[in-house]
Amino acid sequence: LDWWHADRYCERHFAQLLFEPQESEQASFSKLLQSHHIRGSVWLNERDGVLHKPKWRRDHIVPVLVFRDKTDTKYVKVLSDFPALPAVTACAHLQWDTRTQEIATIFSYAVPAFINEFQLRGFVDEEGFVRFALIVHGHHSPYLPMFRADGQWHHFCVTWQQENGTWAIYADGKRRASASGLCAVGPSAPQAISGQGTFIIGQDQDSLGGTFRAKESFSGNITDLHVWQKVLGTEQIEKVRSCWVVEQDLVFGWSSNALEVERTVQEVTAQFLCPGPVEECRVFEVGSSGFSYTSCLQSLPFICGYRKDAYWQLKKAQLESSRSLVGRVNTLAKRTVIPENIFTSDVQDMNVSVALGALDVLASVLREGETPVLESSDLLAVLQLLKQVSDVEVQEGEELKMLEQLGQYYVEVTELILEEQNIETWSSVSQVIRGPMAVVELCNRMVSHLAPLLTAGRTKITIQHRNVGLRRVVVKNMWFGYGSLQRCLSGTGSSAVFQDVAASDGGQKYLSTTVGTAVISSALLSDYQEISTSVRYRLQHRIQWMVIPMCFLWFLLHVSPDAGGMWSTAGCSVVTSLPDSTACFCNHTTNFAVLLQVYEMQRTAKEELTLQTLTFIGCGISFCALIVTFILFLAVGVPKSERTTVHKNLIFALAAAEALLMFSELARTNQVVCFTVTAFLHLFFMAAFSWMLVEGLLLWSKVVAVNMSEDRRMKFYYVTGWGLPVVIVGVTLATSFNKYVADNHCWLNVQTNVIWAFVGPVLFILAVNTFVLFRVVMVTVSSARRRSKMLTPNSSLENQIGIQIWATAKPVLVLLPVLGLTWLCGVLVHLSIIWAYVFIVLNSLQ
């Protein structure tokens, strides 16, 4: 088959064309092919990806310069040293601003000896064509029509050579004008374009590097400007038009780093869809073990390759299949619409009539719902048929009504396989089909076939079946409602990859993402070819609890839709975000959705090291102080009382917790030891907080009369201080044993609800102790006021206020660490790294 048919044959069988073998494997691979009587050339997969026959389209991500209006200030200077140019070629892609018909300067090159050394100018004539004129050494070519002023992207190249002053201008790959004599007239030979000049994009230089005039400035978009010190041939210009850079004799290559951009000129990174046919495809030469290129239209042998995991999943689906859906469809159609064997079936091309009949039967069977949940083999068989239909070649003169009905059936079948009950089925073939976004790509292929339906009298076509629809004007749109595609994407079968969602600046760490809106797909067509353009859209949220809405686009990782793709924020930004909707701007068309992201704070490695160091130092000092205090309580003979008993238990619990915390990092390498350390950390920190609660209760008993004997109170205190932590840790281990420990630290797992087994009780204890502190301060202040009036009845007002302030501050300073209220700073840690430092200092020194 030719390259395109070979590529699609493999894709229909959920495989891919052979990729280039590794250098060490080429000889053995060649022998293997020869043993199977394969000689000559074999097609290889194009890694950059051939998308459509007969046009080869390549996504090209480049910086685009946006000159919004004609001004005397906007310019871009090329930061490159130009040599003398006896021959020159300059090429670029541009969008012409159709709002003005004044002359515009695309670029100007000036040298000290001659300001108008090399320049390209243009304007829009009365008939709506953009006319270009080339200036060399101040000599002006006539203004000649190049392309229509339609606001679309166009490619141009200008060439000039010193010999005879021969020049040419190409537009969209075709030579539009050429002549000779564009040089100085006189007895001396024509001069080369002088070197060491100033190259300005978007302005005419009336002095070297400056003196711009608004009426001669450029308005529009420009990208991919390259300059060579030779004249490129027609074939090379076609390659450049297709976004291939000819490296030989390149003087300036398009790069943001080589441009000085004036601040009012907008520079955006765009995914530019390059035009141009591909004429040759790569082949593997069996026998010589080498590589070469040949015409893509040539019929050659080919090999379809499977990834092992995909192959075994296909085999499993084939073996476990009951073939009920395939059997019903083929029986109803009275012919083989869907082959029973995915691997060996020779799927032939079909015409519109055959495709219409096949989808009609398939839609009828799926609509009956006798098999509410599709089997894996059924889903693969349906996708195989959808691929075949999307590749149907529409001939001139096809019955238009038949074509529209084909689109209707295609949308209906798509909707039926995206039903929520099929989520597990998508999961079961996740290695073969990387998620349901493959359906979006297939619909995108199908919608292009509806072009013949558009006429002057019918400028819009809409086809819809519940949650899926197609709309095709010059712009083709698709939407996949929240009820279909999103549930599949959010299910276990989704293998979607997320790009650019995890912060790399230490600010945030990505946790999870969910599709929060419908998925839409949009593309702009010109002459049945996609062209790149910016798009602005607003999508309604279907989920209201999101944390951060972000505008995402989906692009394929490989040519085949089966290979999956990824969500990316590249080129897209949030314009406005409301509780029920988000407006987005993207600088190119593709598949769009608003994804709602959940983040957690993440610090840099330097910050983490500083925090760990502070923790270790603080805990070390605190541990030593606690041990000394505990020894003093035992050695000095402090009278036994409730207060000293409670203090000793709190000291022991805190010391044990902080000792474990200091050395917990050493236990990370051993899973069992780490689990044990985590459990004891949980126990001792929980015990420390429980004894802080007891400290609060003890203070309360001194403030409020409590009818309970000291002996009974101590029993209650021991149950609260040690019994409660044991119960909490025991219940947590029993219910969440497998989700207990965090991935990177010997501590509770913050990604699950396990962390609430610590945070919940701590918040309750801190709330109780805050209330206790408030009452203690009130009593202390009241007592200090009475004492002041009794001892110094005639003291000044300032003195009384000072006494009351001290009476307030003293119990607060003393009781804050005892009652554990410094831990309240932990609530503010996520706001700033400063609060993290404060939190660690206060609590490691508790």
Side-chain angles (χ1 to χ4, degrees):
L1 297 177
D2 64 43
W3 192 96
W4 289 284
H5 283 93
D7 181 55
R8 288 301 168 86
Y9 180 95
C10 292
E11 186 190 301
R12 289 172 197 162
H13 289 78
F14 306 100
Q16 286 184 306
L17 266 182
L18 173 71
F19 277 101
E20 177 183 322
Q22 297 293 328
E23 191 172 347
S24 59
E25 301 172 348
Q26 289 174 12
S28 59
F29 185 70
S30 183
K31 289 180 181 178
L32 176 65
L33 296 182
Q34 290 180 65
S35 68
H36 286 79
H37 310 291
I38 298 173
R39 300 285 189 274
S41 302
V42 176
W43 287 127
L44 285 178
N45 207 326
E46 292 282 346
R47 292 190 180 275
D48 286 330
V50 176
L51 297 183
H52 299 294
K53 178 191 176 183
K55 292 289 187 180
W56 178 68
R57 313 303 302 277
R58 186 165 72 100
D59 283 334
H60 186 48
I61 299 176
V62 288
V64 176
L65 300 178
V66 180
F67 297 84
R68 292 196 182 279
D69 301 295
K70 293 173 74 69
T71 70
D72 60 359
T73 57
K74 291 185 169 123
Y75 75 95
V76 175
K77 182 179 179 182
V78 173
L79 303 176
S80 182
D81 293 326
F82 286 83
L85 301 170
V88 65
T89 300
C91 300
H93 288 91
L94 61 75
Q95 279 181 309
W96 197 272
D97 188 349
T98 57
R99 296 174 297 173
T100 177
Q101 291 186 325
E102 292 182 329
I103 288 176
T105 304
I106 296 133
F107 64 78
S108 63
Y109 177 76
V111 295
F114 217 113
I115 297 303
N116 294 328
E117 182 73 357
F118 180 46
Q119 189 177 127
L120 182 66
R121 298 155 69 90
F123 73 96
V124 180
D125 66 17
E126 294 178 355
E127 296 176 2
F129 281 89
V130 175
R131 290 175 174 263
F132 278 359
L134 183 63
I135 301 174
V136 179
H137 299 318
H139 293 271
H140 207 297
S141 78
Y143 282 99
L144 297 170
M146 296 294 136
F147 50 82
R148 282 203 168 273
D150 51 9
Q152 307 300 325
W153 280 102
H154 293 277
H155 183 260
F156 75 85
C157 283
V158 295
T159 69
W160 178 87
Q161 58 184 339
Q162 181 179 344
E163 184 178 354
N164 298 325
T166 305
W167 61 275
I169 304 179
Y170 296 78
D172 298 325
K174 296 180 180 179
R175 188 163 62 181
R176 305 292 184 181
S178 63
S180 59
L182 194 62
C183 57
V185 178
S188 60
Q191 299 296 311
I193 294 173
S194 302
Q196 306 305 313
T198 302
F199 196 110
I200 298 291
I201 303 172
Q203 292 285 359
D204 177 19
Q205 304 174 61
D206 285 343
S207 63
L208 188 63
T211 316
F212 308 136
R213 288 187 289 181
K215 66 178 183 179
E216 295 181 339
S217 64
F218 174 71
S219 177
N221 304 328
I222 189 166
T223 186
D224 244 7
L225 174 66
H226 295 80
V227 181
W228 293 263
Q229 56 180 348
K230 71 171 183 177
V231 173
L232 296 186
T234 305
E235 291 183 2
Q236 290 175 312
I237 287 174
E238 185 59 33
K239 282 188 175 181
V240 173
R241 177 174 173 253
S242 302
C243 305
W244 291 109
V245 178
V246 177
E247 298 290 348
Q248 186 179 5
D249 295 321
L250 183 67
V251 175
F252 168 71
W254 188 247
S255 169
S256 295
N257 298 327
L259 299 174
E260 178 185 303
V261 182
E262 192 267 333
R263 62 182 182 82
T264 58
V265 177
Q266 188 179 0
E267 184 180 5
V268 298
T269 300
Q271 190 172 15
F272 187 82
L273 195 59
C274 301
V278 74
E279 297 174 352
E280 294 185 329
C281 294
R282 202 168 191 200
V283 293
F284 177 71
E285 299 293 350
V286 182
S288 65
S289 302
F291 303 98
S292 64
Y293 287 86
T294 188
S295 170
C296 299
L297 295 172
Q298 187 175 345
S299 292
L300 291 177
F302 62 95
I303 298 171
C304 298
Y306 290 91
R307 288 177 293 104
K308 283 186 179 179
D309 48 4
Y311 178 80
W312 291 117
Q313 205 167 71
L314 279 168
K315 290 285 285 185
K316 182 181 179 183
Q318 189 77 31
L319 290 171
E320 295 177 353
S321 172
S322 65
R323 296 177 177 79
S324 57
L325 176 73
V326 174
R328 290 205 311 278
V329 170
N330 292 338
T331 300
L332 188 60
K334 297 179 180 178
R335 65 181 185 84
T336 304
V337 172
I338 302 177
E340 293 189 356
N341 194 313
I342 294 172
F343 293 102
T344 59
S345 62
D346 187 13
V347 182
Q348 299 294 329
D349 289 333
M350 57 171 64
N351 57 33
V352 173
S353 177
V354 173
L356 180 62
L359 286 186
D360 184 10
V361 172
L362 178 59
S364 299
V365 172
L366 290 173
R367 209 183 298 126
E368 291 169 3
E370 291 183 18
T371 309
V373 179
L374 291 175
E375 294 180 359
S376 300
S377 59
D378 294 339
L379 178 60
L380 293 172
V382 172
L383 286 170
Q384 196 172 41
L385 181 61
L386 289 178
K387 288 181 182 184
Q388 195 176 2
V389 173
S390 69
D391 289 335
V392 69
E393 295 186 2
V394 180
Q395 305 297 325
E396 290 186 16
E398 293 277 12
E399 189 176 343
L400 299 185
K401 186 177 180 182
M402 189 185 296
L403 199 59
E404 187 168 358
Q405 189 63 49
L406 180 68
Q408 182 65 52
Y409 285 144
Y410 200 95
V411 169
E412 184 176 357
V413 170
T414 299
E415 164 65 26
L416 291 169
I417 65 173
L418 289 174
E419 292 287 355
E420 188 174 0
Q421 65 265 23
N422 293 322
I423 290 176
E424 290 300 322
T425 309
W426 282 98
S427 175
S428 67
V429 293
S430 60
Q431 297 301 324
V432 182
I433 303 289
R434 298 294 178 91
M437 283 299 289
V439 176
V440 176
E441 299 304 323
L442 293 177
C443 286
N444 202 26
R445 290 181 187 176
M446 177 62 202
V447 73
S448 297
H449 296 321
L450 304 181
L453 297 174
L454 297 173
T455 63
R458 187 183 188 189
T459 58
K460 183 172 69 175
I461 300 153
T462 301
I463 298 173
Q464 185 172 4
H465 185 267
R466 288 190 287 182
N467 281 319
V468 180
L470 312 175
R471 179 176 294 153
R472 172 83 157 73
V473 202
V474 177
V475 178
K476 62 177 181 181
N477 294 317
M478 296 185 293
W479 65 94
F480 293 77
Y482 186 77
S484 57
L485 193 62
Q486 287 69 15
R487 292 198 180 102
C488 292
L489 285 172
S490 302
T492 56
S494 175
S495 59
V497 182
F498 296 92
Q499 187 186 56
D500 302 329
V501 294
S504 59
D505 59 357
Q508 295 175 320
K509 179 184 177 183
Y510 166 71
L511 290 182
S512 62
T513 301
T514 183
V515 179
T517 65
V519 172
I520 62 173
S521 177
S522 182
L524 189 62
L525 301 182
S526 177
D527 296 330
Y528 307 111
Q529 298 294 323
E530 289 187 8
I531 57 176
S532 182
T533 184
S534 61
V535 61
R536 180 169 175 160
Y537 59 94
R538 179 179 291 277
L539 291 173
Q540 298 293 319
H541 298 165
R542 298 300 298 268
I543 302 174
Q544 300 295 329
W545 48 262
M546 77 289 189
V547 179
I548 301 174
M550 296 189 74
C551 301
F552 275 75
L553 58 93
W554 175 275
F555 62 89
L556 289 174
L557 293 175
H558 299 286
V559 178
S560 170
D562 304 342
M566 63 173 64
W567 291 108
S568 173
T569 57
C572 289
S573 60
V574 176
V575 179
T576 57
S577 181
L578 301 174
D580 62 339
S581 66
T582 297
C584 302
F585 173 83
C586 291
N587 58 24
H588 54 286
T589 50
T590 182
N591 310 311
F592 306 106
V594 174
L595 272 60
L596 309 177
Q597 298 189 304
V598 182
Y599 287 92
E600 73 170 356
M601 296 306 296
Q602 181 172 282
R603 303 181 183 95
T604 63
K606 184 178 179 181
E607 289 172 343
E608 286 287 354
L609 180 62
T610 304
L611 292 174
Q612 287 178 7
T613 305
L614 282 175
T615 301
F616 191 85
I617 293 172
C619 286
I621 296 170
S622 185
F623 179 76
C624 293
L626 288 167
I627 295 299
V628 169
T629 309
F630 193 79
I631 292 171
L632 286 174
F633 269 115
L634 297 176
V636 175
V638 178
K640 186 177 180 181
S641 66
E642 283 183 314
R643 185 178 177 186
T644 56
T645 303
V646 171
H647 281 347
K648 282 190 283 188
N649 280 279
L650 175 57
I651 288 168
F652 177 79
L654 259 181
E658 294 191 349
L660 279 171
L661 183 62
M662 282 190 292
F663 298 101
S664 61
E665 288 298 303
L666 301 176
R668 286 170 57 184
T669 54
N670 189 304
Q671 190 174 359
V672 175
V673 175
C674 186
F675 188 95
T676 306
V677 168
T678 301
F680 277 104
L681 270 175
H682 189 191
L683 175 66
F684 283 118
F685 268 117
M686 204 66 255
F689 274 99
S690 297
W691 282 106
M692 291 176 207
L693 174 64
V694 171
E695 292 275 9
L697 296 176
L698 184 62
L699 276 170
W700 184 264
S701 70
K702 305 300 181 182
V703 174
V704 181
V706 179
N707 296 322
M708 186 184 292
S709 67
E710 183 175 324
D711 185 53
R712 289 177 61 193
R713 275 205 306 265
M714 280 311 304
K715 290 179 181 178
F716 173 72
Y717 291 160
Y718 274 114
V719 170
T720 303
W722 292 109
L724 188 61
V726 169
V727 171
I728 291 172
V729 174
V731 170
T732 307
L733 286 171
T735 56
S736 306
F737 188 85
N738 294 325
K739 299 180 289 184
Y740 188 68
V741 183
D743 293 333
N744 301 319
H745 302 284
C746 296
W747 180 237
L748 302 179
N749 192 343
V750 298
Q751 308 295 340
T752 62
N753 292 326
V754 169
I755 190 63
W756 288 102
F758 177 73
V759 175
V762 165
L763 290 176
F764 171 76
I765 290 168
L766 295 180
V768 171
N769 282 356
T770 301
F771 181 70
V772 170
L773 179 63
F774 178 73
R775 287 301 306 270
V776 169
V777 169
M778 286 181 62
V779 171
T780 305
V781 170
S782 177
S783 176
R785 188 185 300 119
R786 289 197 302 270
R787 190 183 306 110
S788 175
K789 287 181 179 180
M790 290 175 58
L791 299 177
T792 55
N794 299 322
S795 62
S796 64
L797 180 61
E798 291 80 1
N799 190 30
Q800 291 182 20
I801 292 174
I803 292 171
Q804 290 183 26
I805 290 174
W806 175 242
T808 303
K810 183 179 178 181
V812 170
L813 292 172
V814 171
L815 295 179
L816 271 176
V818 174
L819 298 179
L821 298 181
T822 52
W823 284 75
L824 287 171
C825 294
V827 179
L828 306 173
V829 163
H830 71 283
L831 298 177
S832 170
I833 188 67
I834 303 299
W835 283 110
Y837 293 138
V838 172
F839 175 74
I840 283 179
V841 170
L842 288 177
N843 294 295
S844 63
L845 296 173
Q846 185 181 4

